[in-house]
Amino acid sequence: PILPVGLMNPGIDGGPPGDLDWASAHHIKPNSGGGAMNSGVPVVTSVRIGYSLSDMYLLMQFGSQAAAARDLQVEVRCTSPGGSTHLIIRRDDGKTKASIDPLGPMMWALGETLQIRLPFESLRARRGDTITFAIVVLGEGHLMSAVPAHGVMSIELPAADYELQHREV
């Protein structure tokens, strides 16, 4: 399971991950094992996942192939004890838009990186719940990447007594 080092509250601006902003996030470097058209450059070079006491955060960095794609679609599928949430962020000819199903609050920015803030309520989750999720990247009409390559990742949201357990001594 994914274990962020601590709580975080980064600005969502689509810029590079500021060292302090994303320092406590869990960092995943997907391997570049792709299809025949993969030139060894991973589509997704880095994924950072973290949380505050009320929100889950996601930051994705893309390789040149995805950055150059005219149309790019990133799908995040999350499942919590409350149900599943499907998030789509799309860039089409320079215009970006996002949707979340079922509808709920979220904040996102797609620039040099894709940054997302998802309140637990939008994930239909509560503190202490375990959420499983997978990320799929489509571009130029085909599947470019999946993180993880097979199956799902899981993260346990901070429990109700998180602050007590993690007090600095």
Side-chain angles (χ1 to χ4, degrees):
I2 290 163
L3 283 171
V5 187
L7 301 175
M8 55 191 275
N9 185 16
I12 302 294
D13 57 11
D19 287 348
L20 292 170
D21 257 10
W22 292 86
S24 54
H26 182 88
H27 193 184
I28 299 166
K29 283 196 175 292
N31 56 17
S32 55
M37 43 160 293
N38 190 314
S39 55
V41 180
V43 170
V44 177
T45 56
S46 161
V47 177
R48 291 167 206 255
I49 298 150
Y51 48 53
S52 66
L53 292 174
S54 57
D55 302 278
M56 184 166 114
Y57 295 96
L58 208 63
L59 180 145
M60 293 174 66
Q61 288 173 284
F62 300 101
S64 49
Q65 197 184 359
R70 265 209 350 267
D71 64 320
L72 189 69
Q73 179 165 311
V74 179
E75 297 186 26
V76 185
R77 297 166 192 267
C78 304
T79 305
S80 75
S84 40
T85 306
H86 188 193
L87 187 67
I88 298 179
I89 292 172
R90 241 190 108 81
R91 183 182 70 211
D92 212 342
D93 276 334
K95 289 189 279 297
T96 53
K97 56 180 191 245
S99 65
I100 181 167
D101 177 31
L103 271 170
M106 63 178 263
M107 194 174 162
W108 62 281
L110 176 59
E112 193 177 328
T113 59
L114 170 59
Q115 300 178 3
I116 304 171
R117 184 180 91 206
L118 275 169
F120 296 165
E121 66 190 85
S122 294
L123 296 167
R124 294 190 280 176
R126 290 197 299 269
R127 286 170 63 171
D129 283 352
T130 295
I131 293 180
T132 58
F133 62 100
I135 302 166
V136 172
V137 181
L138 304 130
E140 310 284 351
H142 57 256
L143 175 67
M144 291 177 91
S145 180
V147 183
H150 305 286
V152 294
M153 300 176 276
S154 69
I155 184 170
E156 190 177 316
L157 300 181
D161 58 355
Y162 182 92
E163 297 100 324
L164 294 172
Q165 294 174 11
H166 295 76
R167 234 195 330 243
E168 307 283 317
V169 187

